[in-house]
Amino acid sequence: MSHESMTILLAEDDDGHAQLIERNLKRAGFVNRVVRARDGQETLDIVRTGREGLPPSSQFLLLLDINMPRIDGVEVLRQLKADPRTARIPVIMLTTTDDPREVERCYQYGCSVYITKPVRYEDFVEALTRLGMFLEIVKLPSAPNGDRPTP
Amino acid sequence: MRIPPERLAEILDVAEDGIVTVDSQHQIVLFNRGATKIFGYDPAEVLGKSLDVLIPLASRGVHRGHVEQFARGPVVSRTMGERRTVTGRRKDGTEFPVEITISKLIVEGEILLTAIIRDAEDRKKYEDALLRLNQDLEERVRARTAELAERNLQLTQKTEENEMFVYSVSHDLRSPLVNLEGFSEELRIVVRDLQRLLQDERIPGDLREQLDALFAGGVRESIDFIRTAVGRLSRIIDALLRLSRAGRVVYQTQVLNVGAIARRVVDAMRKTADEKKVEVMIGELPPAWGDPTAVEQVFANLIGNALNYLDTSRPGRVEVGALPDGSPSGSHTYFVRDNGIGIPEAYQSKLFRALQRLHPDKAPGEGIGLAIVRRVLERLGGTIRVESVVGEGTTFYFTLPAGSQ
Ligand SMILES: Nc1ncnc2c1ncn2[C@@H]1O[C@H](COP(=O)(O)OP(=O)(O)O)[C@@H](O)[C@H]1O
Ligand SMILES: [Mg+2]
C-alpha cells in the first residue's frame, strides 16, 4: 500500500508550533498534503465526516498535539482508538513536556509514537521509521536547496 | 541504755502512726493512741471486737482473704496499699484512704498480726492533684499535637497547591518557549542558507564581504545569544517541572531492597566513575519502606553530586552506607559520603532550595537535585542533613522508614 495519497492531519492550536511543524515536515522530505485542525473537536470532525475536498474515507496520518482547548489530544486519541472505524489511523502525539505519566497514558490508549516539541525534522524521520512508513511516504528532493535536511 | 520492757508499751502507745494488732480470729488485741486519732474509736470500744469495724462494709470479704493469706504465707511483713490505697472506716462511718504495713509475730503458738496504719488522705490529695495535673498536661499535649497536625496538613496542602501552581505555570511557559526555540533554530538555518547564497559569484566581492560581516557578526552572534538564553530558560523550566512532579507523582510504597537500588544507581554511573577514577563503595544497607523510583532518585542525585563535586587533586572516594541501628526507632539512616571539595557552612542552609548552585563551573545542572531529594524524603517520611568540611568532603545523611525484616 502506498502512502503518497495520505493526508497529514495536523491537530495543533498554536500557530507558531503549526508553522514550525510544517517547515520540518518539508525538511524531512514530506510531499503529502497537510491539513490543519485547531482543536480536538475539529480534529474529530474532519476524521469522522471529512471536509470539503477531503472525504472521510481519506487516509490520514494524525499529528496530534496534547494541549488543545476544549477537547485535548489525549481525549481525541481515546475516542479514535475506541471506534473501530478510526482505530487504525496512525497517531503521532506531540507535547511540550516529557511527563512520564502523560507518555504512559498515551501509549495505554494506543498512540504509536510520541514526540516532544520543539519538533526537529529528525524526530519525524525517526517517528515514521518506527511506524514503518518512512520510505513509502518520503520523496527525497532531487535538487539541493535550503530546505534539504542536513545531517 | 536499755529500755525497760514496761515502757515499750508506752512507746507503742504514743507513736503517731496507728498500731492495731489482731489475733488469729481477727479480734483486736491492741489499739494505740495513734489508731484512736485515725479511727475515732477509744481502745475500750474496739478491743475484743472484730477487725471488721475498721473496714468499710464493701471490702470486708476481700480484706479478710488478704489477711488470712498473709497469716498463712511465709512473708513476715509487707506493705499494703503502697501503690493502691486501702480504704479504712472511721467511727463516724466516713471512709478514708490508708497506707498499711502489716507484720506477723507468733506468740505462744498464736499468730498475731500487727498493722501500722497511716492516714493517706493528704498523700492521696497530692496524688490526686498530681494526677489531675498530669491529665491536664496530657490534654494540653494532645491539643497541641492536634493543632500541629492541623498546621502540618495546611502546610502540606499549601505545598501541594504551590506545586500545582509551579507545574501549570511551567507547563504554560513551555508553549511560548517552544516557539522561541523553534524559530531561533529557523533563523539559524535561514542565515546559514543565506551565507551559502552569498558565495554566488554574481554578487560583487565588496558587497559580499560587507554582507558576510553583517551575518556573521550581527545576525549569527545575536541568534547564538538568543539560543543560549532560550536553552537555559528551557532547562530551568524543565527543572521546575521535575521538582513539582516529584511532589505530585503517586507513590507505590513497599518494602525496598535498598542495597539493590543503590547498586543499580552506581552501576548506571559506573562509566563516569571509572573515567574520573573514583572508587565507589557500597556497604550493608538495611531494607526500607518507600517507593522504589523515588528512593532511586534520592540515591541517583546524591551519588551523582558526589561524583560531580570531587576534588581533582586527590583520588576520589565515594561511600554509600547505613549507620548501625540506634537511629530513631522505626527508621534507618543511610549516608552518601565523598572526599570532594566540600560545602562551606554558610551555604549549607541554602543547599536544599531550588535553583541554588554553589559550584556552577564544576558540573552542568540546574540546582534542582537536592530540592527534589528533600521533597521526596519528606513525602516518604524521612529527613536529610549534611555534614561537610571544605577541602575534606561531604556526607549527606538521610532517613527512611524501616522496611519490615
Ligand atoms: N557532594 C557535594 N559536594 C560539594 N558540593 C555539593 C555536593 N552536592 C551538592 N553540592 C552543591 O550544591 C549545589 C546544588 O546541588 P543540586 O541541588 O544537586 O544541583 P546541581 O547538582 O544541579 O547543581 C551544587 O551546585 C553544588 O554546588
Ligand atoms: Mg545535582
Side-chain angles (χ1 to χ4, degrees):
Chain A
M1 178 168 75
S2 164
H3 294 274
E4 270 182 46
S5 59
M6 184 177 254
T7 301
I8 293 173
L9 178 53
L10 172 58
E12 170 63 73
D13 62 314
D14 188 297
D15 290 343
H17 293 195
Q19 158 100 229
L20 285 169
I21 288 163
E22 285 194 51
R23 289 190 193 191
N24 279 296
L25 282 171
K26 252 201 217 161
R27 270 194 200 105
F30 284 80
V31 291
N32 302 59
R33 176 176 177 193
V34 178
V35 171
R36 163 110 183 268
R38 289 169 182 275
D39 64 45
Q41 188 57 58
E42 200 184 342
T43 311
L44 287 171
D45 289 347
I46 292 176
V47 171
R48 285 174 181 158
T49 60
R51 167 191 272 195
E52 230 186 85
L54 194 67
S57 56
S58 312
Q59 281 189 48
F60 289 111
L61 165 63
L62 180 56
L63 299 185
L64 182 55
D65 180 35
I66 288 187
N67 250 315
M68 288 190 296
R70 294 202 286 167
I71 300 181
D72 73 14
V74 178
E75 178 58 20
V76 170
L77 175 70
R78 198 191 60 76
Q79 291 195 21
L80 290 181
K81 291 296 169 185
D83 183 344
R85 284 168 304 169
T86 51
R88 296 172 63 103
I89 297 175
V91 180
I92 298 176
M93 298 299 280
L94 306 170
T95 128
T96 50
T97 63
D98 53 355
D99 188 330
R101 276 173 310 167
E102 215 176 66
V103 179
E104 197 180 313
R105 213 156 46 112
C106 291
Y107 281 130
Q108 262 170 15
Y109 286 140
C111 93
S112 316
V113 190
Y114 192 99
I115 300 180
T116 309
K117 297 188 211 173
V119 182
R120 297 164 307 150
Y121 77 86
E122 296 99 316
D123 297 327
F124 279 123
V125 173
E126 145 138 26
L128 286 172
T129 309
R130 279 175 65 183
L131 288 173
M133 295 167 71
F134 183 64
L135 289 175
E136 291 164 283
I137 202 168
V138 168
K139 272 192 181 150
L140 289 173
S142 46
N145 67 47
D147 285 339
R148 206 178 81 131
T150 36
Chain B
M1 76 172 255
R2 273 184 57 99
I3 302 169
E6 65 276 12
R7 314 254 359 189
L8 281 176
E10 259 175 74
I11 292 175
L12 275 186
D13 202 42
V14 297
E16 188 68 21
D17 288 341
I19 299 173
V20 177
T21 303
V22 297
D23 64 15
S24 50
Q25 268 72 55
H26 295 222
Q27 290 196 339
I28 298 172
V29 297
L30 186 145
F31 198 84
N32 78 341
R33 259 192 273 175
T36 297
K37 245 195 254 168
I38 292 171
F39 289 97
Y41 286 108
D42 279 331
E45 290 175 286
V46 291
L47 285 174
K49 295 256 173 66
S50 163
L51 177 65
D52 285 347
V53 297
L54 307 178
I55 299 162
L57 214 65
S59 42
R60 276 177 198 169
V62 182
H63 191 267
R64 184 174 282 259
H66 282 162
V67 171
E68 270 168 12
Q69 207 181 348
F70 175 72
R72 278 196 306 271
V75 182
V76 176
S77 104
R78 110 173 187 223
T79 306
M80 296 168 75
E82 213 166 27
R83 307 216 154 241
R84 217 163 23 92
T85 325
V86 177
T87 310
R89 181 176 186 272
R90 298 199 186 91
K91 186 180 172 184
D92 63 12
T94 53
E95 294 174 11
F96 63 106
V98 290
E99 206 180 271
I100 297 179
T101 308
I102 54 176
S103 45
K104 77 182 155 192
L105 187 69
I106 300 174
V107 178
E108 292 165 8
E110 178 151 29
I111 297 177
L112 292 181
L113 297 178
T114 298
I116 296 179
I117 301 154
R118 193 169 275 176
D119 189 335
E121 203 142 54
D122 282 350
R123 195 200 69 178
K124 185 88 168 61
K125 259 188 237 154
Y126 285 127
E127 274 179 5
D128 286 352
L130 208 65
L131 205 68
R132 269 199 305 279
L133 206 67
N134 266 337
Q135 278 168 351
D136 193 39
L137 263 177
E138 265 170 40
E139 189 51 47
R140 274 199 241 175
V141 169
R142 245 199 307 278
R144 189 96 184 93
T145 309
E147 208 175 289
L148 282 176
E150 173 65 20
R151 279 271 292 286
N152 217 346
L153 192 72
Q154 284 172 357
L155 275 179
T156 307
Q157 280 167 354
K158 196 98 214 130
T159 311
E160 277 162 14
E161 262 169 47
N162 284 343
E163 267 159 0
M164 192 62 216
F165 177 72
V166 169
Y167 184 80
S168 58
V169 168
S170 332
H171 208 280
D172 288 352
L173 286 177
R174 284 239 34 120
S175 189
L177 195 65
V178 162
N179 280 317
L180 280 174
E181 273 182 304
F183 283 106
S184 53
E185 172 68 10
E186 289 295 314
L187 277 177
R188 189 187 64 80
I189 294 171
V190 170
V191 169
R192 186 201 61 199
D193 291 345
L194 278 172
Q195 282 185 303
R196 268 191 207 152
L197 284 178
L198 273 184
Q199 303 313 312
D200 194 315
E201 71 265 13
R202 280 169 294 183
I203 296 175
D206 55 336
L207 184 58
R208 176 188 305 145
E209 252 164 54
Q210 281 181 33
L211 286 172
D212 218 20
L214 272 179
F215 278 129
V219 183
R220 237 193 24 220
E221 200 183 69
S222 307
I223 293 172
D224 284 347
F225 273 112
I226 293 176
R227 282 161 51 85
T228 307
V230 166
R232 175 149 167 61
L233 195 55
S234 170
R235 282 192 305 276
I236 291 175
I237 289 173
D238 284 347
L240 288 175
L241 274 172
R242 260 182 282 129
L243 177 60
S244 62
R245 227 176 263 151
R248 286 157 24 92
V249 62
V250 178
Y251 281 170
Q252 253 124 39
T253 45
Q254 51 197 261
V255 175
L256 299 178
N257 182 344
V258 180
I261 291 178
R263 279 190 293 279
R264 198 159 57 235
V265 169
V266 171
D267 282 345
M269 298 183 181
R270 180 70 63 197
K271 209 169 141 256
T272 318
D274 288 348
E275 273 166 17
K276 298 187 173 189
K277 295 197 168 56
V278 183
E279 190 189 357
V280 183
M281 286 162 305
I282 304 181
E284 195 73 22
L285 300 176
W289 177 256
D291 175 88
T293 317
V295 171
E296 183 165 334
Q297 212 174 4
V298 169
F299 276 106
N301 273 294
L302 295 180
I303 297 170
N305 281 347
L307 294 175
N308 274 343
Y309 303 107
L310 283 170
D311 189 333
T312 39
S313 68
R314 55 177 173 267
R317 277 172 57 96
V318 174
E319 187 190 348
V320 183
L323 296 183
D325 267 343
S327 323
S329 59
S331 72
H332 295 301
T333 304
Y334 305 88
F335 64 83
V336 175
R337 175 172 298 145
D338 64 56
N339 64 342
I341 48 185
I343 303 161
E345 180 104 38
Y347 182 79
Q348 289 177 12
S349 61
K350 290 192 193 160
L351 211 52
F352 299 98
R353 288 190 208 153
L355 307 178
Q356 295 279 345
R357 307 196 71 205
L358 180 64
H359 312 101
D361 307 330
K362 280 294 279 188
E366 294 338 297
I368 212 82
L370 289 175
I372 289 179
V373 166
R374 188 181 66 168
R375 182 65 179 122
V376 164
L377 287 172
E378 183 184 274
R379 287 189 64 197
L380 292 174
T383 54
I384 184 161
R385 68 189 166 84
V386 65
E387 274 175 19
S388 185
V389 177
V390 173
E392 283 181 21
T394 304
T395 307
F396 285 96
Y397 295 94
F398 64 96
T399 66
L400 282 174
S404 55
Q405 282 175 303

